[in-house]
PDB file of all heavy atoms in Angstrom:
ATOM      1  N   ASP G   3      58.392   2.907 101.906  1.00 75.00           N
ATOM      2  CA  ASP G   3      58.153   2.029 103.048  1.00 75.00           C
ATOM      3  C   ASP G   3      57.575   2.771 104.243  1.00 75.00           C
ATOM      4  O   ASP G   3      57.199   2.155 105.242  1.00 75.00           O
ATOM      5  CB  ASP G   3      59.458   1.347 103.485  1.00 75.00           C
ATOM      6  CG  ASP G   3      59.997   0.409 102.423  1.00 75.00           C
ATOM      7  OD1 ASP G   3      59.173  -0.144 101.661  1.00 75.00           O
ATOM      8  OD2 ASP G   3      61.221   0.239 102.341  1.00 75.00           O
ATOM      9  N   SER G   4      57.552   4.105 104.158  1.00 73.00           N
ATOM     10  CA  SER G   4      57.027   4.943 105.252  1.00 73.00           C
ATOM     11  C   SER G   4      57.709   4.619 106.577  1.00 73.00           C
ATOM     12  O   SER G   4      57.068   4.456 107.606  1.00 73.00           O
ATOM     13  CB  SER G   4      55.502   4.781 105.367  1.00 73.00           C
ATOM     14  OG  SER G   4      54.861   5.167 104.176  1.00 73.00           O
ATOM     15  N   ASP G   5      59.027   4.544 106.533  1.00 75.00           N
ATOM     16  CA  ASP G   5      59.829   4.270 107.729  1.00 75.00           C
ATOM     17  C   ASP G   5      60.611   5.530 108.075  1.00 75.00           C
ATOM     18  O   ASP G   5      61.608   5.848 107.423  1.00 75.00           O
ATOM     19  CB  ASP G   5      60.785   3.109 107.456  1.00 75.00           C
ATOM     20  CG  ASP G   5      61.719   2.830 108.626  1.00 75.00           C
ATOM     21  OD1 ASP G   5      61.486   3.406 109.714  1.00 75.00           O
ATOM     22  OD2 ASP G   5      62.666   2.048 108.460  1.00 75.00           O
ATOM     23  N   PRO G   6      60.186   6.278 109.097  1.00 72.00           N
ATOM     24  CA  PRO G   6      60.845   7.550 109.397  1.00 72.00           C
ATOM     25  C   PRO G   6      62.323   7.417 109.736  1.00 72.00           C
ATOM     26  O   PRO G   6      63.097   8.347 109.509  1.00 72.00           O
ATOM     27  CB  PRO G   6      60.051   8.085 110.601  1.00 72.00           C
ATOM     28  CG  PRO G   6      58.736   7.379 110.550  1.00 72.00           C
ATOM     29  CD  PRO G   6      59.038   6.025 109.991  1.00 72.00           C
ATOM     30  N   THR G   7      62.735   6.276 110.276  1.00 74.00           N
ATOM     31  CA  THR G   7      64.146   6.111 110.638  1.00 74.00           C
ATOM     32  C   THR G   7      65.045   6.033 109.404  1.00 74.00           C
ATOM     33  O   THR G   7      66.261   6.152 109.526  1.00 74.00           O
ATOM     34  CB  THR G   7      64.355   4.837 111.477  1.00 74.00           C
ATOM     35  OG1 THR G   7      63.945   3.695 110.710  1.00 74.00           O
ATOM     36  CG2 THR G   7      63.541   4.883 112.753  1.00 74.00           C
ATOM     37  N   LYS G   8      64.448   5.854 108.237  1.00 81.00           N
ATOM     38  CA  LYS G   8      65.255   5.747 107.024  1.00 81.00           C
ATOM     39  C   LYS G   8      65.954   7.059 106.695  1.00 81.00           C
ATOM     40  O   LYS G   8      66.899   7.080 105.891  1.00 81.00           O
ATOM     41  CB  LYS G   8      64.387   5.304 105.851  1.00 81.00           C
ATOM     42  CG  LYS G   8      65.182   4.692 104.706  1.00 81.00           C
ATOM     43  CD  LYS G   8      64.281   4.184 103.605  1.00 81.00           C
ATOM     44  CE  LYS G   8      63.534   2.941 104.019  1.00 81.00           C
ATOM     45  NZ  LYS G   8      62.729   2.391 102.917  1.00 81.00           N
ATOM     46  N   LEU G   9      65.528   8.162 107.315  1.00 80.00           N
ATOM     47  CA  LEU G   9      66.191   9.439 107.087  1.00 80.00           C
ATOM     48  C   LEU G   9      67.668   9.347 107.432  1.00 80.00           C
ATOM     49  O   LEU G   9      68.518   9.924 106.748  1.00 80.00           O
ATOM     50  CB  LEU G   9      65.513  10.531 107.927  1.00 80.00           C
ATOM     51  CG  LEU G   9      66.105  11.940 107.825  1.00 80.00           C
ATOM     52  CD1 LEU G   9      66.111  12.421 106.382  1.00 80.00           C
ATOM     53  CD2 LEU G   9      65.328  12.904 108.700  1.00 80.00           C
ATOM     54  N   ILE G  10      67.988   8.606 108.477  1.00 82.00           N
ATOM     55  CA  ILE G  10      69.393   8.432 108.859  1.00 82.00           C
ATOM     56  C   ILE G  10      70.148   7.710 107.748  1.00 82.00           C
ATOM     57  O   ILE G  10      71.270   8.065 107.386  1.00 82.00           O
ATOM     58  CB  ILE G  10      69.489   7.653 110.185  1.00 82.00           C
ATOM     59  CG1 ILE G  10      68.799   8.442 111.314  1.00 82.00           C
ATOM     60  CG2 ILE G  10      70.935   7.363 110.556  1.00 82.00           C
ATOM     61  CD1 ILE G  10      68.713   7.694 112.623  1.00 82.00           C
ATOM     62  N   GLU G  11      69.515   6.689 107.170  1.00 84.00           N
ATOM     63  CA  GLU G  11      70.154   5.931 106.090  1.00 84.00           C
ATOM     64  C   GLU G  11      70.302   6.786 104.839  1.00 84.00           C
ATOM     65  O   GLU G  11      71.293   6.674 104.108  1.00 84.00           O
ATOM     66  CB  GLU G  11      69.319   4.684 105.786  1.00 84.00           C
ATOM     67  CG  GLU G  11      70.050   3.634 104.994  1.00 84.00           C
ATOM     68  CD  GLU G  11      69.277   2.334 104.941  1.00 84.00           C
ATOM     69  OE1 GLU G  11      68.311   2.168 105.703  1.00 84.00           O
ATOM     70  OE2 GLU G  11      69.653   1.470 104.122  1.00 84.00           O
ATOM     71  N   ILE G  12      69.329   7.658 104.582  1.00 87.00           N
ATOM     72  CA  ILE G  12      69.398   8.546 103.423  1.00 87.00           C
ATOM     73  C   ILE G  12      70.606   9.471 103.532  1.00 87.00           C
ATOM     74  O   ILE G  12      71.318   9.714 102.551  1.00 87.00           O
ATOM     75  CB  ILE G  12      68.088   9.360 103.299  1.00 87.00           C
ATOM     76  CG1 ILE G  12      66.939   8.441 102.867  1.00 87.00           C
ATOM     77  CG2 ILE G  12      68.248  10.510 102.305  1.00 87.00           C
ATOM     78  CD1 ILE G  12      65.572   9.093 102.928  1.00 87.00           C
ATOM     79  N   VAL G  13      70.839   9.990 104.734  1.00 85.00           N
ATOM     80  CA  VAL G  13      72.005  10.847 104.953  1.00 85.00           C
ATOM     81  C   VAL G  13      73.290  10.071 104.687  1.00 85.00           C
ATOM     82  O   VAL G  13      74.223  10.581 104.056  1.00 85.00           O
ATOM     83  CB  VAL G  13      71.990  11.411 106.388  1.00 85.00           C
ATOM     84  CG1 VAL G  13      73.305  12.107 106.704  1.00 85.00           C
ATOM     85  CG2 VAL G  13      70.826  12.383 106.564  1.00 85.00           C
ATOM     86  N   GLU G  14      73.332   8.822 105.118  1.00 85.00           N
ATOM     87  CA  GLU G  14      74.530   8.003 104.885  1.00 85.00           C
ATOM     88  C   GLU G  14      74.737   7.753 103.392  1.00 85.00           C
ATOM     89  O   GLU G  14      75.873   7.762 102.904  1.00 85.00           O
ATOM     90  CB  GLU G  14      74.411   6.685 105.640  1.00 85.00           C
ATOM     91  CG  GLU G  14      74.475   6.845 107.157  1.00 85.00           C
ATOM     92  CD  GLU G  14      74.350   5.518 107.888  1.00 85.00           C
ATOM     93  OE1 GLU G  14      73.925   4.533 107.254  1.00 85.00           O
ATOM     94  OE2 GLU G  14      74.670   5.472 109.082  1.00 85.00           O
ATOM     95  N   ILE G  15      73.651   7.528 102.665  1.00 87.00           N
ATOM     96  CA  ILE G  15      73.771   7.309 101.219  1.00 87.00           C
ATOM     97  C   ILE G  15      74.276   8.578 100.540  1.00 87.00           C
ATOM     98  O   ILE G  15      75.112   8.528  99.623  1.00 87.00           O
ATOM     99  CB  ILE G  15      72.419   6.869 100.626  1.00 87.00           C
ATOM    100  CG1 ILE G  15      72.057   5.471 101.137  1.00 87.00           C
ATOM    101  CG2 ILE G  15      72.458   6.881  99.105  1.00 87.00           C
ATOM    102  CD1 ILE G  15      70.665   5.019 100.753  1.00 87.00           C
ATOM    103  N   GLY G  16      73.765   9.744 100.973  1.00 87.00           N
ATOM    104  CA  GLY G  16      74.229  11.003 100.410  1.00 87.00           C
ATOM    105  C   GLY G  16      75.714  11.218 100.659  1.00 87.00           C
ATOM    106  O   GLY G  16      76.456  11.657  99.764  1.00 87.00           O
ATOM    107  N   LYS G  17      76.167  10.908 101.866  1.00 87.00           N
ATOM    108  CA  LYS G  17      77.586  11.043 102.172  1.00 87.00           C
ATOM    109  C   LYS G  17      78.409  10.034 101.381  1.00 87.00           C
ATOM    110  O   LYS G  17      79.527  10.328 100.944  1.00 87.00           O
ATOM    111  CB  LYS G  17      77.812  10.877 103.674  1.00 87.00           C
ATOM    112  CG  LYS G  17      77.331  12.078 104.492  1.00 87.00           C
ATOM    113  CD  LYS G  17      77.821  12.024 105.903  1.00 87.00           C
ATOM    114  CE  LYS G  17      77.462  13.319 106.636  1.00 87.00           C
ATOM    115  NZ  LYS G  17      78.203  14.477 106.113  1.00 87.00           N
ATOM    116  N   GLN G  18      77.844   8.841 101.184  1.00 87.00           N
ATOM    117  CA  GLN G  18      78.557   7.835 100.395  1.00 87.00           C
ATOM    118  C   GLN G  18      78.742   8.319  98.967  1.00 87.00           C
ATOM    119  O   GLN G  18      79.796   8.102  98.350  1.00 87.00           O
ATOM    120  CB  GLN G  18      77.778   6.519 100.412  1.00 87.00           C
ATOM    121  CG  GLN G  18      78.516   5.368  99.756  1.00 87.00           C
ATOM    122  CD  GLN G  18      77.687   4.103  99.711  1.00 87.00           C
ATOM    123  OE1 GLN G  18      76.520   4.122  99.335  1.00 87.00           O
ATOM    124  NE2 GLN G  18      78.275   2.997 100.111  1.00 87.00           N
ATOM    125  N   LEU G  19      77.725   8.996  98.415  1.00 87.00           N
ATOM    126  CA  LEU G  19      77.837   9.544  97.061  1.00 87.00           C
ATOM    127  C   LEU G  19      78.971  10.558  96.986  1.00 87.00           C
ATOM    128  O   LEU G  19      79.813  10.507  96.070  1.00 87.00           O
ATOM    129  CB  LEU G  19      76.509  10.199  96.664  1.00 87.00           C
ATOM    130  CG  LEU G  19      76.519  11.043  95.382  1.00 87.00           C
ATOM    131  CD1 LEU G  19      76.804  10.176  94.170  1.00 87.00           C
ATOM    132  CD2 LEU G  19      75.209  11.788  95.216  1.00 87.00           C
ATOM    133  N   LEU G  20      79.020  11.492  97.936  1.00 86.00           N
ATOM    134  CA  LEU G  20      80.065  12.511  97.924  1.00 86.00           C
ATOM    135  C   LEU G  20      81.446  11.897  98.120  1.00 86.00           C
ATOM    136  O   LEU G  20      82.420  12.296  97.468  1.00 86.00           O
ATOM    137  CB  LEU G  20      79.779  13.543  99.015  1.00 86.00           C
ATOM    138  CG  LEU G  20      78.484  14.347  98.872  1.00 86.00           C
ATOM    139  CD1 LEU G  20      78.313  15.299 100.047  1.00 86.00           C
ATOM    140  CD2 LEU G  20      78.466  15.119  97.563  1.00 86.00           C
ATOM    141  N   ILE G  21      81.538  10.918  99.023  1.00 88.00           N
ATOM    142  CA  ILE G  21      82.827  10.281  99.290  1.00 88.00           C
ATOM    143  C   ILE G  21      83.302   9.504  98.064  1.00 88.00           C
ATOM    144  O   ILE G  21      84.491   9.515  97.717  1.00 88.00           O
ATOM    145  CB  ILE G  21      82.720   9.369 100.518  1.00 88.00           C
ATOM    146  CG1 ILE G  21      82.564  10.211 101.790  1.00 88.00           C
ATOM    147  CG2 ILE G  21      83.945   8.472 100.649  1.00 88.00           C
ATOM    148  CD1 ILE G  21      82.233   9.396 103.018  1.00 88.00           C
ATOM    149  N   THR G  22      82.383   8.812  97.390  1.00 89.00           N
ATOM    150  CA  THR G  22      82.748   8.048  96.190  1.00 89.00           C
ATOM    151  C   THR G  22      83.278   8.970  95.108  1.00 89.00           C
ATOM    152  O   THR G  22      84.310   8.694  94.479  1.00 89.00           O
ATOM    153  CB  THR G  22      81.529   7.274  95.666  1.00 89.00           C
ATOM    154  OG1 THR G  22      81.049   6.395  96.682  1.00 89.00           O
ATOM    155  CG2 THR G  22      81.892   6.463  94.433  1.00 89.00           C
ATOM    156  N   ARG G  23      82.593  10.083  94.910  1.00 88.00           N
ATOM    157  CA  ARG G  23      83.034  11.039  93.892  1.00 88.00           C
ATOM    158  C   ARG G  23      84.409  11.596  94.245  1.00 88.00           C
ATOM    159  O   ARG G  23      85.291  11.702  93.383  1.00 88.00           O
ATOM    160  CB  ARG G  23      82.006  12.164  93.773  1.00 88.00           C
ATOM    161  CG  ARG G  23      82.280  13.121  92.614  1.00 88.00           C
ATOM    162  CD  ARG G  23      81.277  14.250  92.634  1.00 88.00           C
ATOM    163  NE  ARG G  23      79.940  13.757  92.386  1.00 88.00           N
ATOM    164  CZ  ARG G  23      78.830  14.364  92.800  1.00 88.00           C
ATOM    165  NH1 ARG G  23      78.916  15.466  93.516  1.00 88.00           N
ATOM    166  NH2 ARG G  23      77.647  13.860  92.517  1.00 88.00           N
ATOM    167  N   GLY G  24      84.596  11.944  95.517  1.00 87.00           N
ATOM    168  CA  GLY G  24      85.888  12.478  95.931  1.00 87.00           C
ATOM    169  C   GLY G  24      87.002  11.454  95.843  1.00 87.00           C
ATOM    170  O   GLY G  24      88.120  11.771  95.418  1.00 87.00           O
ATOM    171  N   ALA G  25      86.696  10.209  96.229  1.00 89.00           N
ATOM    172  CA  ALA G  25      87.716   9.163  96.216  1.00 89.00           C
ATOM    173  C   ALA G  25      88.186   8.867  94.794  1.00 89.00           C
ATOM    174  O   ALA G  25      89.397   8.749  94.534  1.00 89.00           O
ATOM    175  CB  ALA G  25      87.163   7.893  96.866  1.00 89.00           C
ATOM    176  N   LEU G  26      87.232   8.759  93.858  1.00 90.00           N
ATOM    177  CA  LEU G  26      87.616   8.430  92.485  1.00 90.00           C
ATOM    178  C   LEU G  26      88.269   9.624  91.789  1.00 90.00           C
ATOM    179  O   LEU G  26      89.094   9.442  90.890  1.00 90.00           O
ATOM    180  CB  LEU G  26      86.389   7.954  91.705  1.00 90.00           C
ATOM    181  CG  LEU G  26      85.842   6.594  92.168  1.00 90.00           C
ATOM    182  CD1 LEU G  26      84.686   6.135  91.285  1.00 90.00           C
ATOM    183  CD2 LEU G  26      86.936   5.535  92.150  1.00 90.00           C
ATOM    184  N   THR G  27      87.904  10.836  92.184  1.00 89.00           N
ATOM    185  CA  THR G  27      88.606  12.005  91.648  1.00 89.00           C
ATOM    186  C   THR G  27      90.051  12.000  92.124  1.00 89.00           C
ATOM    187  O   THR G  27      90.986  12.266  91.347  1.00 89.00           O
ATOM    188  CB  THR G  27      87.907  13.300  92.095  1.00 89.00           C
ATOM    189  OG1 THR G  27      86.558  13.308  91.630  1.00 89.00           O
ATOM    190  CG2 THR G  27      88.628  14.518  91.543  1.00 89.00           C
ATOM    191  N   THR G  28      90.259  11.702  93.400  1.00 89.00           N
ATOM    192  CA  THR G  28      91.616  11.609  93.946  1.00 89.00           C
ATOM    193  C   THR G  28      92.418  10.528  93.219  1.00 89.00           C
ATOM    194  O   THR G  28      93.580  10.746  92.842  1.00 89.00           O
ATOM    195  CB  THR G  28      91.558  11.285  95.449  1.00 89.00           C
ATOM    196  OG1 THR G  28      90.808  12.297  96.125  1.00 89.00           O
ATOM    197  CG2 THR G  28      92.950  11.210  96.047  1.00 89.00           C
ATOM    198  N   PHE G  29      91.799   9.362  93.031  1.00 90.00           N
ATOM    199  CA  PHE G  29      92.485   8.257  92.360  1.00 90.00           C
ATOM    200  C   PHE G  29      92.832   8.645  90.924  1.00 90.00           C
ATOM    201  O   PHE G  29      93.934   8.364  90.438  1.00 90.00           O
ATOM    202  CB  PHE G  29      91.594   7.023  92.364  1.00 90.00           C
ATOM    203  CG  PHE G  29      92.236   5.799  91.774  1.00 90.00           C
ATOM    204  CD1 PHE G  29      92.982   4.937  92.560  1.00 90.00           C
ATOM    205  CD2 PHE G  29      92.109   5.514  90.421  1.00 90.00           C
ATOM    206  CE1 PHE G  29      93.593   3.820  92.010  1.00 90.00           C
ATOM    207  CE2 PHE G  29      92.708   4.403  89.862  1.00 90.00           C
ATOM    208  CZ  PHE G  29      93.455   3.551  90.657  1.00 90.00           C
ATOM    209  N   SER G  30      91.882   9.297  90.229  1.00 87.00           N
ATOM    210  CA  SER G  30      92.102   9.660  88.832  1.00 87.00           C
ATOM    211  C   SER G  30      93.284  10.608  88.682  1.00 87.00           C
ATOM    212  O   SER G  30      94.140  10.420  87.809  1.00 87.00           O
ATOM    213  CB  SER G  30      90.831  10.308  88.266  1.00 87.00           C
ATOM    214  OG  SER G  30      91.022  10.737  86.936  1.00 87.00           O
ATOM    215  N   ILE G  31      93.343  11.624  89.523  1.00 85.00           N
ATOM    216  CA  ILE G  31      94.434  12.594  89.426  1.00 85.00           C
ATOM    217  C   ILE G  31      95.757  11.950  89.840  1.00 85.00           C
ATOM    218  O   ILE G  31      96.809  12.192  89.223  1.00 85.00           O
ATOM    219  CB  ILE G  31      94.122  13.820  90.304  1.00 85.00           C
ATOM    220  CG1 ILE G  31      92.898  14.560  89.729  1.00 85.00           C
ATOM    221  CG2 ILE G  31      95.319  14.759  90.384  1.00 85.00           C
ATOM    222  CD1 ILE G  31      92.410  15.701  90.592  1.00 85.00           C
ATOM    223  N   ALA G  32      95.704  11.090  90.869  1.00 86.00           N
ATOM    224  CA  ALA G  32      96.933  10.453  91.346  1.00 86.00           C
ATOM    225  C   ALA G  32      97.513   9.493  90.320  1.00 86.00           C
ATOM    226  O   ALA G  32      98.744   9.424  90.153  1.00 86.00           O
ATOM    227  CB  ALA G  32      96.657   9.716  92.661  1.00 86.00           C
ATOM    228  N   ASN G  33      96.644   8.731  89.627  1.00 82.00           N
ATOM    229  CA  ASN G  33      97.229   7.737  88.720  1.00 82.00           C
ATOM    230  C   ASN G  33      97.791   8.362  87.446  1.00 82.00           C
ATOM    231  O   ASN G  33      98.466   7.695  86.667  1.00 82.00           O
ATOM    232  CB  ASN G  33      96.228   6.613  88.393  1.00 82.00           C
ATOM    233  CG  ASN G  33      95.086   7.041  87.497  1.00 82.00           C
ATOM    234  OD1 ASN G  33      95.161   7.976  86.721  1.00 82.00           O
ATOM    235  ND2 ASN G  33      93.978   6.317  87.611  1.00 82.00           N
ATOM    236  N   ASP G  34      97.511   9.655  87.223  1.00 78.00           N
ATOM    237  CA  ASP G  34      98.141  10.327  86.087  1.00 78.00           C
ATOM    238  C   ASP G  34      99.649  10.456  86.288  1.00 78.00           C
ATOM    239  O   ASP G  34     100.401  10.552  85.316  1.00 78.00           O
ATOM    240  CB  ASP G  34      97.530  11.721  85.890  1.00 78.00           C
ATOM    241  CG  ASP G  34      96.142  11.653  85.289  1.00 78.00           C
ATOM    242  OD1 ASP G  34      95.797  10.600  84.723  1.00 78.00           O
ATOM    243  OD2 ASP G  34      95.395  12.639  85.401  1.00 78.00           O
ATOM    244  N   ILE G  35     100.090  10.450  87.546  1.00 78.00           N
ATOM    245  CA  ILE G  35     101.526  10.618  87.826  1.00 78.00           C
ATOM    246  C   ILE G  35     102.339   9.515  87.162  1.00 78.00           C
ATOM    247  O   ILE G  35     103.359   9.768  86.508  1.00 78.00           O
ATOM    248  CB  ILE G  35     101.764  10.629  89.349  1.00 78.00           C
ATOM    249  CG1 ILE G  35     101.074  11.843  89.976  1.00 78.00           C
ATOM    250  CG2 ILE G  35     103.257  10.613  89.664  1.00 78.00           C
ATOM    251  CD1 ILE G  35     101.145  11.873  91.487  1.00 78.00           C
ATOM    252  N   ALA G  36     101.889   8.260  87.299  1.00 75.00           N
ATOM    253  CA  ALA G  36     102.620   7.140  86.704  1.00 75.00           C
ATOM    254  C   ALA G  36     102.626   7.238  85.180  1.00 75.00           C
ATOM    255  O   ALA G  36     103.616   6.876  84.525  1.00 75.00           O
ATOM    256  CB  ALA G  36     101.992   5.822  87.149  1.00 75.00           C
ATOM    257  N   LYS G  37     101.515   7.741  84.616  1.00 76.00           N
ATOM    258  CA  LYS G  37     101.462   7.873  83.158  1.00 76.00           C
ATOM    259  C   LYS G  37     102.495   8.883  82.678  1.00 76.00           C
ATOM    260  O   LYS G  37     103.112   8.710  81.617  1.00 76.00           O
ATOM    261  CB  LYS G  37     100.064   8.299  82.724  1.00 76.00           C
ATOM    262  CG  LYS G  37      98.954   7.333  83.120  1.00 76.00           C
ATOM    263  CD  LYS G  37      97.601   7.930  82.769  1.00 76.00           C
ATOM    264  CE  LYS G  37      96.480   7.229  83.503  1.00 76.00           C
ATOM    265  NZ  LYS G  37      95.181   7.895  83.305  1.00 76.00           N
ATOM    266  N   TYR G  38     102.697   9.960  83.465  1.00 74.00           N
ATOM    267  CA  TYR G  38     103.701  10.946  83.070  1.00 74.00           C
ATOM    268  C   TYR G  38     105.090  10.308  83.036  1.00 74.00           C
ATOM    269  O   TYR G  38     105.872  10.550  82.112  1.00 74.00           O
ATOM    270  CB  TYR G  38     103.725  12.120  84.061  1.00 74.00           C
ATOM    271  CG  TYR G  38     102.404  12.833  84.236  1.00 74.00           C
ATOM    272  CD1 TYR G  38     102.129  13.571  85.377  1.00 74.00           C
ATOM    273  CD2 TYR G  38     101.426  12.772  83.251  1.00 74.00           C
ATOM    274  CE1 TYR G  38     100.926  14.236  85.552  1.00 74.00           C
ATOM    275  CE2 TYR G  38     100.211  13.426  83.413  1.00 74.00           C
ATOM    276  CZ  TYR G  38      99.966  14.156  84.569  1.00 74.00           C
ATOM    277  OH  TYR G  38      98.774  14.796  84.734  1.00 74.00           O
ATOM    278  N   PHE G  39     105.374   9.476  84.037  1.00 74.00           N
ATOM    279  CA  PHE G  39     106.685   8.814  84.080  1.00 74.00           C
ATOM    280  C   PHE G  39     106.845   7.809  82.939  1.00 74.00           C
ATOM    281  O   PHE G  39     107.962   7.453  82.581  1.00 74.00           O
ATOM    282  CB  PHE G  39     106.881   8.105  85.424  1.00 74.00           C
ATOM    283  CG  PHE G  39     107.320   9.014  86.531  1.00 74.00           C
ATOM    284  CD1 PHE G  39     106.401   9.564  87.399  1.00 74.00           C
ATOM    285  CD2 PHE G  39     108.658   9.340  86.684  1.00 74.00           C
ATOM    286  CE1 PHE G  39     106.799  10.412  88.425  1.00 74.00           C
ATOM    287  CE2 PHE G  39     109.071  10.188  87.709  1.00 74.00           C
ATOM    288  CZ  PHE G  39     108.144  10.734  88.577  1.00 74.00           C
ATOM    289  N   ALA G  40     105.742   7.343  82.392  1.00 72.00           N
ATOM    290  CA  ALA G  40     105.822   6.361  81.301  1.00 72.00           C
ATOM    291  C   ALA G  40     105.934   7.039  79.943  1.00 72.00           C
ATOM    292  O   ALA G  40     106.792   6.671  79.125  1.00 72.00           O
ATOM    293  CB  ALA G  40     104.592   5.455  81.330  1.00 72.00           C
ATOM    294  N   ILE G  41     105.084   8.031  79.698  1.00 73.00           N
ATOM    295  CA  ILE G  41     104.942   8.520  78.329  1.00 73.00           C
ATOM    296  C   ILE G  41     105.871   9.695  78.015  1.00 73.00           C
ATOM    297  O   ILE G  41     106.351   9.829  76.889  1.00 73.00           O
ATOM    298  CB  ILE G  41     103.462   8.891  78.060  1.00 73.00           C
ATOM    299  CG1 ILE G  41     103.181   8.870  76.553  1.00 73.00           C
ATOM    300  CG2 ILE G  41     103.082  10.221  78.669  1.00 73.00           C
ATOM    301  CD1 ILE G  41     101.700   8.935  76.224  1.00 73.00           C
ATOM    302  N   ILE G  42     106.140  10.561  78.996  1.00 74.00           N
ATOM    303  CA  ILE G  42     106.981  11.730  78.703  1.00 74.00           C
ATOM    304  C   ILE G  42     108.429  11.322  78.394  1.00 74.00           C
ATOM    305  O   ILE G  42     109.005  11.793  77.407  1.00 74.00           O
ATOM    306  CB  ILE G  42     106.902  12.749  79.861  1.00 74.00           C
ATOM    307  CG1 ILE G  42     105.495  13.358  79.888  1.00 74.00           C
ATOM    308  CG2 ILE G  42     107.960  13.850  79.705  1.00 74.00           C
ATOM    309  CD1 ILE G  42     105.263  14.342  81.013  1.00 74.00           C
ATOM    310  N   PRO G  43     109.071  10.442  79.197  1.00 75.00           N
ATOM    311  CA  PRO G  43     110.422  10.002  78.800  1.00 75.00           C
ATOM    312  C   PRO G  43     110.426   9.319  77.437  1.00 75.00           C
ATOM    313  O   PRO G  43     111.379   9.473  76.666  1.00 75.00           O
ATOM    314  CB  PRO G  43     110.809   9.019  79.912  1.00 75.00           C
ATOM    315  CG  PRO G  43     109.981   9.421  81.083  1.00 75.00           C
ATOM    316  CD  PRO G  43     108.682   9.880  80.503  1.00 75.00           C
ATOM    317  N   ALA G  44     109.372   8.563  77.123  1.00 68.00           N
ATOM    318  CA  ALA G  44     109.328   7.862  75.834  1.00 68.00           C
ATOM    319  C   ALA G  44     109.305   8.843  74.676  1.00 68.00           C
ATOM    320  O   ALA G  44     109.887   8.581  73.615  1.00 68.00           O
ATOM    321  CB  ALA G  44     108.087   6.962  75.784  1.00 68.00           C
ATOM    322  N   MET G  45     108.660   9.980  74.868  1.00 65.00           N
ATOM    323  CA  MET G  45     108.532  10.940  73.778  1.00 65.00           C
ATOM    324  C   MET G  45     109.774  11.811  73.606  1.00 65.00           C
ATOM    325  O   MET G  45     110.165  12.139  72.488  1.00 65.00           O
ATOM    326  CB  MET G  45     107.310  11.838  74.019  1.00 65.00           C
ATOM    327  CG  MET G  45     105.974  11.149  73.853  1.00 65.00           C
ATOM    328  SD  MET G  45     104.616  12.327  74.003  1.00 65.00           S
ATOM    329  CE  MET G  45     104.949  13.419  72.626  1.00 65.00           C
ATOM    330  N   PHE G  46     110.384  12.204  74.727  1.00 66.00           N
ATOM    331  CA  PHE G  46     111.403  13.253  74.643  1.00 66.00           C
ATOM    332  C   PHE G  46     112.816  12.798  75.003  1.00 66.00           C
ATOM    333  O   PHE G  46     113.760  13.580  74.906  1.00 66.00           O
ATOM    334  CB  PHE G  46     111.019  14.420  75.568  1.00 66.00           C
ATOM    335  CG  PHE G  46     109.690  15.021  75.232  1.00 66.00           C
ATOM    336  CD1 PHE G  46     108.597  14.862  76.086  1.00 66.00           C
ATOM    337  CD2 PHE G  46     109.510  15.735  74.058  1.00 66.00           C
ATOM    338  CE1 PHE G  46     107.367  15.417  75.785  1.00 66.00           C
ATOM    339  CE2 PHE G  46     108.280  16.296  73.752  1.00 66.00           C
ATOM    340  CZ  PHE G  46     107.202  16.131  74.610  1.00 66.00           C
ATOM    341  N   ALA G  47     112.977  11.534  75.415  1.00 62.00           N
ATOM    342  CA  ALA G  47     114.310  11.082  75.828  1.00 62.00           C
ATOM    343  C   ALA G  47     115.301  11.111  74.681  1.00 62.00           C
ATOM    344  O   ALA G  47     116.505  11.333  74.891  1.00 62.00           O
ATOM    345  CB  ALA G  47     114.233   9.679  76.423  1.00 62.00           C
TER     346      ALA G  47
END
């Protein structure tokens, strides 16, 4: 589009990419905690 102001939006998209990756990594590691409480007692109780 040859719009120089889009550089600001590009930076926001780049930050959104990093934040999304970090957020879902945090969620993935955190939700493993509940799985441990479910499966480990079932196996070894």
Side-chain angles (χ1 to χ4, degrees):
D3 295 330
S4 300
D5 176 10
T7 61
K8 201 176 288 184
L9 179 57
I10 298 174
E11 197 170 347
I12 289 171
V13 170
E14 292 180 344
I15 292 173
K17 287 192 173 292
Q18 187 184 47
L19 169 65
L20 297 178
I21 290 171
T22 301
R23 187 184 295 155
L26 291 184
T27 301
T28 302
F29 184 89
S30 177
I31 294 174
N33 71 25
D34 286 342
I35 296 175
K37 300 174 197 173
Y38 303 157
F39 279 95
I41 202 168
I42 291 178
M45 289 185 62
F46 301 110

